[in-house]
């Protein structure tokens, strides 16, 4: 089947990403080969690391650091390292969190992912959160685990916190864009759309062909301002797919 050439996230390299119009973004979404979702505060209602911190008794300190990281005022890796050094969660605590307080899906996400799958659009989860939590979310949405890109916690043999895998692209600022570039190369995708609530999602376009800002759980001013299409409900995306 012949594909139309993909519109670029940047119409002209001299123009900013905000110059991509809402209509162009909608068109790219309707004919995407793949859609990549952020997880925390997008696919799920909460920030996984904040929930883990609260569970471990250090919620207030870590929540403020998360706010700064998502707003783009400090590098993601620095924020992740500092937050985890405060939390120092054990393997047992992580497992208990998932059992006692499983991630809560954002309303409409299951219907949206099901619709994308029915249209043979590949769905990926690209998260700065933790793979053990994101895999649980992927299973609820029938997303293959090899379509999950997230950070890995490390533990000593006795289950105590031993750091995180710093080699994962999602541990770095700009890491989500690196994953999207890799997906394009591996799968030959021409049009990839990134959807998320934070600065690390916004900066993934390019190489994503389009970015859709999501404010259904939390509104981040920087992301809302720079998004050509900003939605507060996944129903808006479902309605757009009905136009095909």
């Amino acid at each position: 089947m012949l594909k139309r050439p993909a519109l670029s996230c940047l119409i002209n390299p001299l123009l900013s990403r905000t110059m991509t119009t809402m209509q162009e973004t909608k068109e790219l979404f309707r004919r995407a080969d793949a859609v990549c979702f952020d997880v925390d505060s997008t696919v799920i209602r909460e920030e996984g690391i904040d929930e883990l911190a609260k569970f471990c008794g250090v919620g207030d300190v870590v929540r403020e650091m998360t706010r700064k990281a998502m707003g783009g005022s400090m590098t993601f890796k620095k924020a992740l390292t500092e937050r985890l050094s405060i939390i120092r969660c054990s393997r047992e605590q992580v497992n208990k969190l998932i059992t006692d307080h499983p991630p809560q899906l954002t309303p409409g996400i299951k219907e949206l992912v099901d619709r994308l799958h029915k249209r043979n659009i590949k769905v990926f989860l690209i998260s700065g959160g933790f793979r053990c939590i994101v895999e649980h979310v992927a299973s609820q949405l029938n997303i293959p685990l090899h379509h999950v890109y997230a950070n890995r916690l490390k533990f000593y043999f006795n289950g105590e916190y031993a750091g995180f895998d710093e080699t994962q692209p999602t541990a770095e600022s700009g890491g989500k864009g690196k994953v999207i570039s890799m997906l394009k190369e591996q799968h030959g995708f021409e049009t990839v759309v990134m959807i998320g609530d934070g600065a690390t999602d916004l900066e993934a376009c390019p190489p994503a062909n389009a970015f859709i800002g999501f404010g259904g759980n939390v509104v981040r001013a920087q992301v809302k301002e720079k998004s050509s299409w900003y939605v507060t409900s996944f129903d808006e995306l479902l309605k757009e797919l009905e136009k095909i």
Side-chain angles (χ1 to χ4, degrees), residues 157-181:
F157 69 93
N158 62 357
E160 291 182 356
Y161 175 70
F164 64 96
D165 183 356
E166 298 187 25
T167 67
Q168 295 297 313
T170 48
E172 300 269 5
S173 294
K176 293 181 180 181
K178 290 178 182 177
V179 172
I180 290 173
S181 291

Side-chain angles (χ1 to χ4, degrees), residues 4 6 8 28 33 48 94 141 154 190 196 233:
R4 288 171 288 178
S8 170
L28 287 164
D33 300 310
V94 173
L141 297 173
K154 296 195 294 188
E190 292 184 9
S233 168

Side-chain angles (χ1 to χ4, degrees), residues 37-40 76 125-130 134 149-151 170-171 176:
F37 289 91
D38 170 53
V39 178
D40 294 345
F76 183 80
L125 300 181
I126 307 179
S127 173
F130 308 123
V134 178
Y149 295 85
N151 291 315
T170 48
K176 293 181 180 181

Side-chain angles (χ1 to χ4, degrees), residues 52 56 58 82-91 93 155-156 159-163:
L52 182 59
C56 295
V58 290
E82 291 186 4
R83 287 179 292 177
L84 284 174
S85 69
I86 293 170
I87 299 171
R88 300 195 67 81
C89 53
S90 67
R91 182 187 284 114
Q93 285 174 314
F155 302 99
Y156 292 112
E160 291 182 356
Y161 175 70

Side-chain angles (χ1 to χ4, degrees), residues 17-211:
R17 62 167 56 87
T18 57
M19 295 303 292
T20 304
T21 68
M22 181 188 296
Q23 202 53 48
E24 287 168 339
T25 302
K26 289 182 176 182
E27 167 72 9
L28 287 164
F29 174 65
R30 287 196 302 268
R31 60 187 179 87
D33 300 310
V35 175
C36 300
F37 289 91
D38 170 53
V39 178
D40 294 345
S41 295
T42 299
V43 169
I44 62 174
R45 306 194 69 160
E46 59 275 317
E47 287 286 329
I49 195 167
D50 289 350
E51 293 302 304
L52 182 59
K54 184 165 62 175
F55 190 76
C56 295
V58 290
D60 291 342
V61 178
V62 170
R63 192 178 303 109
E64 176 61 18
M65 294 179 71
T66 297
R67 186 188 66 78
K68 290 181 179 178
M70 296 306 292
S73 61
M74 71 164 62
T75 67
F76 183 80
K77 190 170 187 177
K78 177 177 172 61
L80 182 61
T81 302
E82 291 186 4
R83 287 179 292 177
L84 284 174
S85 69
I86 293 170
I87 299 171
R88 300 195 67 81
C89 53
S90 67
R91 182 187 284 114
E92 181 182 359
Q93 285 174 314
V94 173
N95 291 339
K96 188 167 176 54
L97 171 67
I98 295 171
T99 301
D100 293 358
H101 304 282
Q104 300 299 304
L105 294 177
T106 300
I109 186 60
K110 189 162 188 359
E111 293 80 1
L112 177 57
V113 171
D114 286 347
R115 185 75 57 83
L116 291 169
H117 280 158
K118 286 177 182 176
R119 295 187 179 277
N120 202 31
I121 298 171
K122 306 300 182 187
V123 178
F124 296 85
L125 300 181
I126 307 179
S127 173
F130 308 123
R131 189 172 184 94
C132 50
I133 296 175
V134 178
E135 285 186 345
H136 180 82
V137 174
S139 296
Q140 294 182 70
L141 297 173
N142 295 315
I143 295 172
L145 296 187
H146 66 275
H147 283 198
V148 170
Y149 295 85
N151 291 315
R152 295 179 184 272
L153 293 170
K154 296 195 294 188
F155 302 99
Y156 292 112
F157 69 93
N158 62 357
E160 291 182 356
Y161 175 70
F164 64 96
D165 183 356
E166 298 187 25
T167 67
Q168 295 297 313
T170 48
E172 300 269 5
S173 294
K176 293 181 180 181
K178 290 178 182 177
V179 172
I180 290 173
S181 291
M182 180 189 68
L183 291 175
K184 282 186 162 186
E185 183 177 344
Q186 289 182 349
H187 299 276
F189 297 141
E190 292 184 9
T191 305
V192 177
V193 175
M194 180 74 202
I195 300 173
D197 69 288
T200 60
D201 309 309
L202 175 68
E203 70 182 9
C205 178
N209 301 86
F211 171 73

